Amino acid sequence: MSSDHSASTEPKKALNFIEQIVEEDIKNNKNNARVLTRFPPEPNGYLHIGHAKSICLNFGLAQQYGGQTNLRFDDTNPEKEDTEYVESIKEDVRWLGFNWQGEELYASDYFDKLYEFAEKLILEGKAYVCELTPEQMAEYKGVPTRPGKDSPTRNRSVEENLDLFRRMKAGEFKEGACVLRAKIDMASPNMHMRDPIIYRIKFAHHHRTGDKWCIYPNYDFAHGQSDYFEGITHSICTLEFEVHKPLYNWLVDCLRDTDYKPQQIEFARLNLSYTIMSKRRLLELVKNNFVDGWDDPRMPTISGLRRRGFTPASLRNFAEIIGVARRENVIEMGVLEYAVREDLNKHAKRVMAVLDPIKVVITNYPENQEEWLEAVNNPEDESAGTRQIPFSREIYIEREDFMENAPKKYFRLTVGAEVRLRYAYFITCTEVIKDAAGNITELRATYDPESKGGKSPDGRKVKGTIHWVSVPHAFNAEVRIYDRLFNDAEPDGHADVDFKTFINHNSLQVLSNCKLEPCLKDAGALEHFQFERLGYFTADSKYSKPGAPVFNRTVSLKDTWAKVQEKEA
Ligand code: ATP
Ligand code: MG
């Protein structure tokens, strides 16, 4: 995309507040009118839908304004980080359709530079080694309304600080024995400015730097400086970092020697109803086997949504729909489902599948006869063409599409009533067969040979149309239906109750006796379909085998959830 978007003839949408800032900066030639954003995940878990919002925002802005985006791993917590996470994050960003500038970057690439900067701060009297315990440090920091108390070592000499810091680096002290703190302002109303810790001792193996370091910079010390080293212009983060901004600016100002300065901009994080959005908590679900891994189709992770059948376009559209704002809110899960329906509607091939089968014998259809009928692959897309589907004397229909004692307005199958079999014929139910216990085991019907293709031969009207598959041609498959992973709208929002209390233990329903149209047999992993009347389904990438696909329901056709809620309200 070009940077002269103002020349575009597309209808103009109102700019969001970040676009306004960027346009203003370009107009003022700030940072030479460059736009370089970054997406800075910590590789301590798989990305979730909240990260997708941040990715779309950062990469989207750069595309919009002719800039670039860096992918930088914020890997300053060695114990929690892993290369498995690095790989999954790269895959997810690419899958969403974005390319970062050059190679991926790591905060750990800057450990030497950061260390040098820490020494510079010490030399300038802006940092000191402190031996207070965490409890003492908290006590000395005090409360926002009253000035804190100076650490006893706050005014030790530059030489002593330098010596101690170098010995910290050399591994002479135990973990927790001392830290390096920035010397800023113990009376600041912003607690982050009360001499924040910038380096701590950790005898931890790092997934990239190995055992080279036993001191690690903390997030605040690494983040803004990494932005600076890379020449980032707009450093977009979630609102909770707003209180870190004075520290971000203080540190960058200590470091910079030109006009260039990265700008931190905060936006409201994505919260989604009926789920959680924290890698730490998602990890708990994985570790305790509440789900089938990070990519379980019920997980709000990008990999889980992919397995469930969400498409990159649907997630990008979702990000577009929800927009960016500075006020926290909770987005309804229905919005995400709307976004995927919108996309799959355009692309998914329509097929027929019966999830809870009951056999119907069409008594006036010749035995051993079969015929192939034409079906439309996608009414939304003529180029998708048509296919032939087999019909025979015995078919399966959905058990739910028959009712023995039907009310007047029931338009599906009941004894004596006529329905249309999609793409096939009109049939009239003639008889119900039951077992000794009174369960319906089979239905008998007759068909009208003149109604081929489901067209009325004489203008008579048939209200109901149901789907079906031919018994000898259908194949048996497993279909998985998902419900919300939590049965509370904000599982994370209860102060005294663990979020796991709200896990919905009936969120996975495995249907193993489903009868599918033969063309589905060769469905490839992650191939999308609409099972007529039932929803959008996607071949599972983990359990499908060649010739034996397993399907996940991505989403139902209509927003049944909203309806249920309406009814309950
Ligand atoms: P989590 O608590 O889920 O681990 P995090 O903020 O610690 O999230 P990071 O890996 O540090 O995760 O985040 C990478 C980027 O994604 C950051 O810029 C962060 O602001 C952004 N981000 C994380 N969660 C959300 C969210 N729910 N909505 C929007 N952006 C998010
Ligand atoms: Mg984090």
Side-chain angles (χ1 to χ4, degrees):
M1 219 176 273
S2 73
S3 57
D4 61 340
H5 66 111
S6 53
S8 151
T9 52
E10 282 171 35
K12 266 203 168 175
K13 262 184 55 184
L15 298 180
N16 66 45
F17 80 97
I18 301 181
E19 291 168 328
Q20 285 174 19
I21 294 173
V22 173
E23 294 207 355
E24 196 59 24
D25 290 346
I26 292 173
K27 207 172 81 194
N28 296 330
N29 205 36
K30 185 173 169 188
N31 298 327
N32 296 323
R34 281 186 310 114
V35 175
L36 180 59
T37 57
R38 86 285 172 268
F39 175 63
E42 188 183 350
N44 61 347
Y46 282 57
L47 297 183
H48 53 62
I49 179 77
H51 295 114
K53 174 179 177 174
S54 174
I55 292 168
C56 292
L57 176 58
N58 280 294
F59 284 87
L61 270 178
Q63 283 180 352
Q64 201 175 332
Y65 295 103
Q68 294 274 5
T69 304
N70 286 352
L71 172 62
R72 182 207 312 144
F73 290 97
D74 239 314
D75 54 351
T76 51
N77 277 314
E79 302 101 324
K80 292 189 213 145
E81 295 160 2
D82 193 0
T83 41
E84 176 196 345
Y85 299 139
V86 169
E87 291 311 313
S88 76
I89 290 170
K90 284 161 62 178
E91 183 187 353
D92 288 350
V93 174
R94 282 202 200 99
W95 179 76
L96 277 174
F98 298 110
N99 294 303
W100 50 92
Q101 169 176 263
E103 294 292 305
E104 78 268 19
L105 303 166
Y106 296 85
S108 56
D109 292 340
Y110 312 126
F111 280 174
D112 286 306
K113 276 178 152 174
L114 288 167
Y115 177 81
E116 260 172 54
F117 177 45
E119 284 209 353
K120 173 176 141 88
L121 288 180
I122 293 173
L123 287 168
E124 291 173 359
K126 292 175 182 163
Y128 60 98
V129 174
C130 176
E131 288 101 342
L132 291 179
T133 64
E135 296 73 33
Q136 287 171 322
M137 209 176 290
E139 189 199 316
Y140 278 61
K141 269 202 171 180
V143 292
T145 48
R146 265 180 288 126
K149 212 164 68 175
D150 284 0
S151 161
T153 60
R154 191 172 200 261
N155 293 315
R156 64 172 24 134
S157 71
V158 166
E159 293 69 34
E160 197 183 347
N161 276 318
L162 204 55
D163 175 60
L164 286 170
F165 187 50
R166 286 179 178 168
R167 285 165 61 195
M168 276 170 68
K169 180 185 176 222
E172 284 188 29
F173 305 118
K174 281 208 284 271
E175 239 170 71
C178 49
V179 294
L180 185 70
R181 296 175 73 177
K183 190 170 173 179
I184 308 181
D185 180 3
M186 287 304 289
S188 173
N190 181 329
M191 300 301 280
H192 293 279
M193 297 296 272
R194 293 193 181 180
D195 293 7
I197 297 174
I198 54 180
Y199 262 96
R200 68 266 198 239
I201 300 171
K202 259 187 198 180
F203 288 93
H205 184 85
H206 187 281
H207 71 106
R208 297 195 76 241
T209 57
D211 297 315
K212 174 172 175 190
W213 296 91
C214 63
I215 55 172
Y216 289 95
N218 80 340
Y219 174 84
D220 281 318
F221 192 67
H223 194 82
Q225 283 51 258
S226 300
D227 283 348
Y228 180 82
F229 297 143
E230 292 174 11
I232 299 298
T233 56
H234 301 86
S235 178
I236 300 164
C237 59
T238 40
L239 278 178
E240 65 271 23
F241 289 100
E242 193 170 18
V243 284
H244 297 242
K245 193 177 195 155
L247 177 56
Y248 180 100
N249 286 331
W250 187 90
L251 287 167
V252 169
D253 284 337
C254 289
L255 186 58
R256 75 198 181 105
D257 47 15
T258 63
D259 278 350
Y260 157 66
K261 183 172 174 177
Q263 180 186 359
Q264 177 180 310
I265 304 169
E266 309 85 19
F267 73 103
R269 67 190 300 113
L270 168 65
N271 301 302
L272 201 57
S273 64
Y274 291 92
T275 192
I276 50 165
M277 207 81 82
S278 140
K279 282 180 271 170
R280 194 168 49 82
R281 302 224 154 120
L282 294 172
L283 177 62
E284 255 186 273
L285 294 179
V286 174
K287 277 199 170 151
N288 293 305
N289 296 316
F290 286 114
V291 292
D292 179 26
W294 283 97
D295 67 347
D296 183 296
R298 291 164 294 182
M299 290 279 268
T301 51
I302 296 178
S303 48
L305 291 165
R306 173 165 61 232
R307 212 176 129 194
R308 176 83 169 253
F310 282 72
T311 57
S314 68
L315 298 188
R316 291 194 304 261
N317 290 348
F318 172 69
E320 186 70 29
I321 294 167
I322 58 175
V324 290
R326 278 191 49 88
R327 195 156 30 88
E328 288 268 355
N329 64 351
V330 180
I331 302 290
E332 288 295 319
M333 190 65 109
V335 180
L336 186 58
E337 294 174 349
Y338 166 82
V340 75
R341 266 188 214 109
E342 279 282 295
D343 188 44
L344 292 181
N345 180 43
K346 286 183 253 160
H347 311 295
K349 181 172 172 178
R350 273 57 166 172
V351 294
M352 292 202 280
V354 175
L355 303 189
D356 182 15
I358 180 156
K359 194 198 273 186
V360 182
V361 178
I362 301 167
T363 50
N364 62 340
Y365 193 89
E367 275 183 58
N368 302 323
Q369 178 172 314
E370 65 165 38
E371 61 186 305
W372 292 76
L373 303 164
E374 187 170 81
V376 174
N377 285 332
N378 186 348
E380 303 287 320
D381 174 12
E382 219 177 292
S383 73
T386 59
R387 72 185 182 289
Q388 301 291 309
I389 49 174
F391 185 77
S392 67
R393 180 181 156 92
E394 296 192 350
I395 59 168
Y396 290 117
I397 66 165
E398 216 68 64
R399 190 168 279 274
E400 208 187 69
D401 282 335
F402 175 80
M403 202 173 193
E404 198 169 13
N405 300 305
K408 247 205 163 115
K409 293 244 157 148
Y410 188 79
F411 297 126
R412 289 173 279 167
L413 203 58
T414 183
V415 178
E418 192 170 41
V419 294
R420 175 188 292 105
L421 295 177
R422 179 86 159 142
Y423 298 122
Y425 292 100
F426 291 0
I427 59 166
T428 304
C429 183
T430 52
E431 196 186 344
V432 181
I433 314 287
K434 294 181 182 175
D435 63 14
N439 302 308
I440 301 175
T441 53
E442 193 182 299
L443 301 169
R444 300 274 159 88
T446 55
Y447 86 120
D448 177 355
E450 301 303 315
S451 62
K452 188 164 176 176
K455 294 186 188 77
S456 180
D458 51 11
R460 76 177 188 275
K461 295 235 178 342
V462 164
K463 276 220 166 128
T465 300
I466 62 174
H467 61 276
W468 54 275
V469 292
S470 162
V471 171
H473 301 91
F475 73 101
N476 217 72
E478 181 178 301
V479 174
R480 300 172 152 236
I481 307 286
Y482 301 97
D483 195 356
R484 306 275 186 268
L485 188 49
F486 295 94
N487 45 34
D488 185 273
E490 285 183 66
D492 233 353
H494 304 263
D496 305 319
V497 193
D498 186 282
F499 75 98
K500 295 194 289 303
T501 315
F502 302 106
I503 290 178
N504 172 8
H505 294 283
N506 299 314
S507 55
L508 167 63
Q509 199 188 346
V510 177
L511 307 175
S512 50
N513 187 33
C514 304
K515 309 292 182 185
L516 273 47
E517 188 184 318
C519 77
L520 284 166
K521 209 157 176 135
D522 300 315
L526 298 187
E527 204 177 327
H528 308 287
F529 297 91
Q530 184 194 102
F531 290 3
E532 297 222 23
R533 299 176 64 226
L534 298 175
Y536 291 101
F537 292 75
T538 301
D540 189 78
S541 51
K542 183 168 175 182
Y543 297 119
S544 293
K545 298 208 171 63
V550 167
F551 285 93
N552 292 318
R553 182 160 77 182
T554 308
V555 66
S556 64
L557 279 185
K558 272 183 252 101
D559 192 355
T560 45
W561 181 254
K563 274 195 194 147
V564 169
Q565 284 186 317
E566 244 167 59
K567 240 202 295 185
E568 284 174 354

